[in-house]
Amino acid sequence: MKRKLIAAIGVAGMMFSVAGCGDSGSSNSSKDPKDRDETVTVWLMVDAQSTWPELVKDVNAQFKKKYPNVKVKVQYQQWADKAKKLDTALGGDKFPDVVELGNTETMQYILNGALAEIDPKKYDNSDTWIEGLKDTCTFEGKQYCVPYYAGARVAVFNKEMVKKGTDSDKLPTTEDDFLKAMDDVQKEYSAKDKRFSSLYLPGRYWYAAMSYVHAYGGEIATYDEGSKEWKGALSSAKSKQGIEHFINLVKKYNKADQTKDEQDHANVVANEKAAVIYGNGWEAGSVVEGKSANPKLKGKIDVAAMPGPNGKPLPSFIGGSDLAVTAKSKSADLGEEWISMYTSEKSQEVLASKDILPNNTKQLEPLTKNPATAPAAKAVPEAWFTPIAPGWTSIEKEEVLENLLLDILKGDSVDSATKKADGKIDELINKES
């Protein structure tokens, strides 16, 4: 969902003390709410504009009622260029007060001093925030952002196509049965379309590859208590087993360009070029609604837990978004209050009604009983995340994982490719720590 991680951010332009942020807004924060007359700029991703615009409208109205003279300026951003725009904005004098960040982005901004510390007690259900999201906002015991919503990857599939391999529109629950069904589906549809993929796994899809690594008990990197350092662990026996499994699936089932990433894989299903993808639960909706969707498939697309090795569901990456107040904001208290309203229990109910996973386990629980959301909701508690290590969240490390997969697809051995990747991970972590 949040593909490109931010590049290294210029420290000189972005190191702002949180204390300074608080001082800058202290003279205004003591004013009566009706006497406040600032402008609060909020950067939200386009998902909010397209899927829950009424929530944004309602929260702004609620905020306006308390602060009648404060102007809230919501600016919608695209994931493709948001990071670059934000880095530029934070280095200048026209920056947002509130910003939405993908949970893989937050640590870099925390480490560079770009986000203000927040008080979790000001937010609904903060005692039951999903741990994987809360962790991405936490550094050295302090909280720098608020979980917004969660995401977990599941199998998104065309029921009619899957039925050709199973005599049922339900996805098999074991990987052996699932892959047998994929073989049958492939035979059925490839006669008419040589580029049809029963299971479409792009070769650079590192989120999926690392899910298989975790399924076999491997890790991207591990922390050595003795040396107090993170070390790449992709060359361990268990990690290599998971990588090999993923590569074998790509080679066998992806009949399209195997060197692509997963950015357009929902479109591949919409174009009826694939029966199954491994994607975010909400991508099932993207297949039938939106610019590149296929409305004719409405009612034919479903989600289920992705069958993984060893008779268990494939472990999912814990995705999602966070909301933060920027350290440079001169209206930090207003930014915090806007986020508080926008992530309130009532607001999270709106997201849940649209099958978006809320930020807390209390409101997540009912979604585990809804067939449309159960696979993703049930995957959240056991989901994995990338190592929460200083410097991990830079674009170079994502490229290490993508390049690892591409090297193997191009003919490198798993042994040599993983050793090279571990060396690069060690080098980058040590350089940026």
Side-chain angles (χ1 to χ4, degrees), residues 243-259:
I243 291 168
E244 282 186 295
H245 192 94
F246 170 77
I247 292 292
N248 289 338
L249 293 176
V250 172
K251 287 181 175 179
K252 182 175 183 179
Y253 294 105
N254 183 346
K255 304 302 179 181
D257 183 353
Q258 294 181 350
T259 65

Side-chain angles (χ1 to χ4, degrees), residues 1-3 43-53 55-56 76-79 82 99-106 123-125 128-137 145-153 280-283 286 317-324 338-339 342-345 347-361 363-364 367 373 376-377 380 383 385:
M1 183 181 356
K2 305 353 181 218
R3 278 293 306 160
W43 279 22
L44 290 179
M45 303 314 297
V46 72
D47 311 79
Q49 184 182 34
S50 61
T51 312
W52 49 91
L55 174 59
V56 181
Y76 294 102
Q77 308 297 323
Q78 300 285 343
W79 287 111
K82 189 281 303 290
V99 63
E100 177 181 346
L101 298 166
N103 63 342
T104 53
E105 298 176 313
T106 52
Y123 303 92
D124 285 358
N125 295 316
T128 61
W129 277 344
I130 291 169
E131 205 64 32
L133 292 184
K134 182 180 177 182
D135 286 348
T136 67
C137 288
C145 51
V146 178
Y148 175 12
Y149 63 83
R153 285 167 170 77
N280 292 288
W282 55 265
E283 288 183 284
S286 299
F317 173 82
I318 178 71
S321 274
D322 301 317
L323 293 163
W338 189 91
I339 295 174
Y342 191 64
T343 59
S344 69
E345 183 163 336
S347 295
Q348 291 289 305
E349 285 175 5
V350 175
L351 297 183
S353 72
K354 296 179 179 294
D355 296 341
I356 304 298
L357 304 186
N359 66 4
N360 64 90
T361 56
Q363 291 178 281
L364 182 70
L367 298 188
T373 54
V380 165
F385 194 68

Side-chain angles (χ1 to χ4, degrees), residues 12-56:
M14 292 188 59
M15 286 300 291
F16 315 110
S17 77
V18 174
C21 162
D23 290 343
S24 65
S26 59
S27 60
N28 285 326
S29 61
S30 60
K31 291 182 179 179
D32 186 281
K34 294 181 180 179
D35 294 331
R36 301 289 291 269
D37 60 358
E38 299 115 285
T39 295
V40 176
T41 301
V42 177
W43 279 22
L44 290 179
M45 303 314 297
V46 72
D47 311 79
Q49 184 182 34
S50 61
T51 312
W52 49 91
E54 72 280 14
L55 174 59
V56 181

Side-chain angles (χ1 to χ4, degrees), residues 139-389:
F139 184 66
E140 295 184 340
K142 296 179 179 180
Q143 194 90 16
Y144 292 92
C145 51
V146 178
Y148 175 12
Y149 63 83
R153 285 167 170 77
V154 294
V156 178
F157 63 98
N158 183 310
K159 293 188 289 185
E160 287 189 352
M161 288 181 174
V162 165
K163 195 172 183 178
K164 297 291 185 181
T166 64
D167 293 328
S168 167
D169 61 3
K170 301 296 182 185
L171 206 69
T173 57
T174 68
E175 189 178 55
D176 286 346
D177 289 343
F178 170 63
L179 295 181
K180 183 180 181 300
M182 293 299 95
D183 291 339
D184 292 341
V185 173
Q186 191 67 40
K187 289 177 185 176
E188 177 73 24
Y189 289 92
S190 62
K192 297 179 182 178
D193 185 352
K194 297 296 184 184
R195 292 177 67 80
F196 175 84
S197 305
S198 55
L199 170 60
Y200 181 75
L201 281 174
R204 284 167 51 206
Y205 192 3
W206 69 267
Y207 290 111
M210 296 304 111
S211 286
Y212 284 98
V213 165
H214 281 264
Y216 280 98
E219 298 281 352
I220 297 172
T222 56
Y223 186 69
D224 186 328
E225 287 289 351
S227 64
K228 303 298 181 185
E229 290 182 339
W230 285 87
K231 295 289 185 182
L234 292 170
S235 58
S236 70
K238 291 179 179 179
S239 294
K240 287 192 293 186
Q241 202 173 357
I243 291 168
E244 282 186 295
H245 192 94
F246 170 77
I247 292 292
N248 289 338
L249 293 176
V250 172
K251 287 181 175 179
K252 182 175 183 179
Y253 294 105
N254 183 346
K255 304 302 179 181
D257 183 353
Q258 294 181 350
T259 65
K260 292 184 69 175
D261 62 33
E262 79 283 7
Q263 280 300 283
D264 69 343
H265 65 176
N267 293 339
V268 177
V269 177
N271 291 328
E272 300 181 80
K273 296 288 186 179
V276 182
I277 60 171
Y278 179 55
N280 292 288
W282 55 265
E283 288 183 284
S286 299
V287 173
V288 296
E289 295 179 359
K291 286 183 179 179
S292 303
N294 185 350
K296 293 179 181 178
L297 293 180
K298 193 166 187 177
K300 298 179 182 180
I301 304 300
D302 205 352
V303 297
M306 184 72 168
N310 307 316
K312 298 178 180 179
L314 189 65
S316 177
F317 173 82
I318 178 71
S321 274
D322 301 317
L323 293 163
V325 175
T326 58
K328 291 182 77 173
S329 173
K330 292 181 171 59
S331 303
D333 62 317
L334 294 180
E336 273 212 79
E337 187 152 6
W338 189 91
I339 295 174
S340 179
M341 293 179 182
Y342 191 64
T343 59
S344 69
E345 183 163 336
K346 182 180 177 182
S347 295
Q348 291 289 305
E349 285 175 5
V350 175
L351 297 183
S353 72
K354 296 179 179 294
D355 296 341
I356 304 298
L357 304 186
N359 66 4
N360 64 90
T361 56
K362 174 186 172 183
Q363 291 178 281
L364 182 70
E365 175 60 26
L367 298 188
T368 64
K369 300 174 177 62
N370 177 352
T373 54
K378 289 178 179 178
V380 165
E382 302 299 323
W384 61 273
F385 194 68
T386 53
I388 303 178

